[in-house]
């Protein structure tokens, strides 16, 4: 009869303990997996971002500096550049005022219709820009609600600068408010209440307490708003009428030049718009770092 020898206590004590395997982090992966994911991301960015950007500047300077400069200083191009900057210069301050007012009201006060206001702020994000432009045509066009009244008073909105500005304002007004609302809600109302107890007025609280606390988020929202205002195409295309030298912004002017097979001129203006976008992107990155630091500091204080 076979017997099974069981280890005694001395043998068990003498046996070295096996080291426990270190627990694997939920976010750790093998090195080859990380390299593969990074390579796929870089390949995607190269194919869909860097290559088209390089192609724009290559085609813009393909025929030389003289052709490039002639396309930029051409009267229709200068008019399109001026109109783009004008629309941005008008719409951004308007959205700045609206964004601060809406964010301050939503974050600092409770009132009836608060959720409705939040929904309306997100409306331009959910509505197609073309539909937004069509709405202005139906309201201010010749056959629209106020068309006859505008015609009787010799006022022109559609196919004119006011219509372009209105369409740009509608498309860009969520950006400032949406940057300020989460930060103001995270900051709470303690500092404003302390300022009120010390005798500060509403304007003093805003200028000396609220505004300094959100200045970087405010600047970040303004940069995003300006970038969208300069690059907007759909809504502006509907209300502009494509009148050369009068109602064409830079994106519309580029489309017309490309459709007329003036590729060098089209890419020249497109390179200028891309350069403005790169400058905006650089400013956005710098401000974004400050905003992240500000939100991190607010989170530490709340804990």
């Amino acid at each position: 009869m076979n017997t099974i020898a069981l280890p005694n206590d001395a043998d068990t004590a003498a046996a070295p303990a096996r080291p426990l395997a270190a627990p694997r982090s939920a976010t750790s992966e093998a090195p080859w997996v990380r390299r593969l994911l990074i390579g796929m991301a870089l390949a995607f960015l190269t194919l869909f971002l860097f290559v088209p950007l390089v192609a724009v500047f290559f085609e813009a300077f393909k025929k030389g500096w003289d052709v490039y400069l002639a396309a930029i200083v051409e009267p229709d191009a200068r008019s399109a550049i001026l109109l783009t900057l004008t629309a941005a210069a008008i719409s951004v301050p308007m959205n700045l005022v609206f964004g601060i007012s809406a964010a301050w009201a939503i974050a600092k006060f409770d009132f009836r219709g608060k959720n409705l206001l939040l929904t309306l702020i997100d409306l331009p994000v959910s509505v197609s820009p073309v539909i937004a432009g069509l709405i202005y045509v139906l309201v201010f066009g010749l056959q629209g609600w106020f068309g006859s009244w505008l015609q009787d008073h010799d006022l022109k909105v559609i196919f004119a600068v006011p219509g372009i500005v209105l369409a740009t304002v509608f498309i860009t007004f969520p950006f400032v408010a949406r940057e300020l609302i989460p930060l103001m809600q995270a900051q709470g109302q303690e500092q404003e209440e302390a300022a009120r107890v010390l005798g500060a007025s509403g304007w003093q609280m805003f200028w000396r307490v609220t505004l300094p606390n959100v200045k970087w988020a405010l600047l970040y929202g303004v940069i995003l708003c300006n970038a969208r205002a300069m690059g907007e195409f759909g809504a502006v295309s509907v209300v502009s009428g494509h009148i050369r030298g009068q109602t064409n912004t830079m994106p519309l002017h580029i489309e017309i030049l490309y459709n007329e097979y003036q590729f060098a001129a089209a890419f020249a203006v497109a390179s200028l718009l891309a350069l403005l976008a790169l400058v905006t992107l650089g400013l956005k990155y710098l401000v974004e770092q400050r905003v992240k630091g500000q939100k991190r500091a607010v989170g530490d204080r709340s804990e």
Side-chain angles (χ1 to χ4, degrees):
M1 181 176 181
N2 295 331
T3 59
I4 300 176
L6 298 176
N8 54 29
D9 295 339
D11 295 336
T12 304
R18 293 182 179 178
L20 296 177
R24 181 179 177 183
S25 174
T27 58
S28 65
E29 295 291 346
W32 69 269
V33 176
R34 293 197 298 268
R35 295 191 187 98
L36 178 62
L37 294 176
I38 294 173
M40 292 174 59
L42 291 176
F44 185 88
L45 289 175
T46 301
L47 182 61
F48 293 100
L49 180 62
F50 299 138
V51 171
L53 189 62
V54 172
V56 167
F57 285 96
F58 175 78
E59 293 292 336
F61 291 97
K62 186 176 182 180
K63 295 186 177 180
W65 173 256
D66 293 335
V67 176
Y68 178 87
L69 188 61
I72 296 297
V73 300
E74 191 260 338
D76 290 342
R78 285 190 284 110
S79 175
I81 295 171
L82 180 61
L83 181 57
T84 300
L85 297 178
T86 301
I90 297 175
S91 61
V92 170
M94 294 178 65
N95 286 318
L96 174 65
V97 174
F98 168 79
I100 294 175
S101 303
W104 197 11
I106 292 172
K108 304 298 182 181
F109 303 99
D110 290 326
F111 54 91
R112 183 176 298 177
K114 184 175 180 178
N115 292 331
L116 178 61
L117 179 57
L118 280 169
T119 303
L120 293 178
I121 290 175
D122 293 332
L123 183 62
V125 180
S126 58
V127 175
S128 170
V130 176
I131 301 301
L134 182 60
I135 291 173
Y136 283 109
V137 172
L138 295 176
V139 174
F140 299 107
L142 186 60
Q143 306 299 326
W145 294 353
F146 304 105
S148 59
W149 184 88
L150 292 172
Q151 187 178 23
D152 294 339
H153 291 79
D154 197 21
L155 298 175
K156 197 171 184 180
V157 175
I158 302 302
F159 305 152
V161 176
I164 295 174
V165 172
L166 286 175
T168 305
V169 168
F170 178 83
I171 292 300
T172 57
F173 80 78
F175 291 97
V176 176
R178 270 304 173 188
E179 287 299 321
L180 293 180
I181 291 173
L183 181 59
M184 285 187 174
Q185 289 177 335
Q187 289 175 344
Q189 305 178 14
E190 290 80 7
Q191 297 185 21
E192 284 81 1
E193 291 175 352
R196 172 65 73 181
V197 171
L198 293 175
S201 64
W203 280 110
Q204 288 175 330
M205 283 193 304
F206 174 75
W207 287 108
R208 298 185 180 182
V209 179
T210 304
L211 189 59
N213 288 336
V214 299
K215 59 183 179 181
W216 292 111
L218 178 62
L219 182 57
Y220 183 64
V222 168
I223 291 173
L224 293 178
C225 181
N226 182 71
R228 180 62 188 274
M230 291 190 301
E232 175 55 32
F233 180 85
V236 174
S237 177
V238 175
V239 301
S240 70
H242 296 268
I243 305 173
R244 302 187 70 157
Q246 297 183 28
T247 63
N248 273 341
T249 59
M250 291 175 67
L252 302 182
H253 184 63
I254 293 169
E255 182 198 26
I256 289 177
L257 291 176
Y258 192 85
N259 290 335
E260 294 177 350
Y261 302 101
Q262 301 182 41
F263 299 124
F267 280 106
V269 181
S271 69
L272 184 59
L273 190 61
L275 183 61
L276 293 174
L278 290 175
V279 172
T280 303
L281 184 63
L283 294 175
K284 171 182 172 294
Y285 174 78
L286 295 176
V287 175
E288 190 176 26
Q289 302 306 311
R290 303 299 294 266
V291 173
K292 288 181 179 178
Q294 189 179 45
K295 290 182 178 179
R296 194 179 303 114
V298 172
D300 294 341
R301 286 200 302 267
S302 63
E303 292 177 0

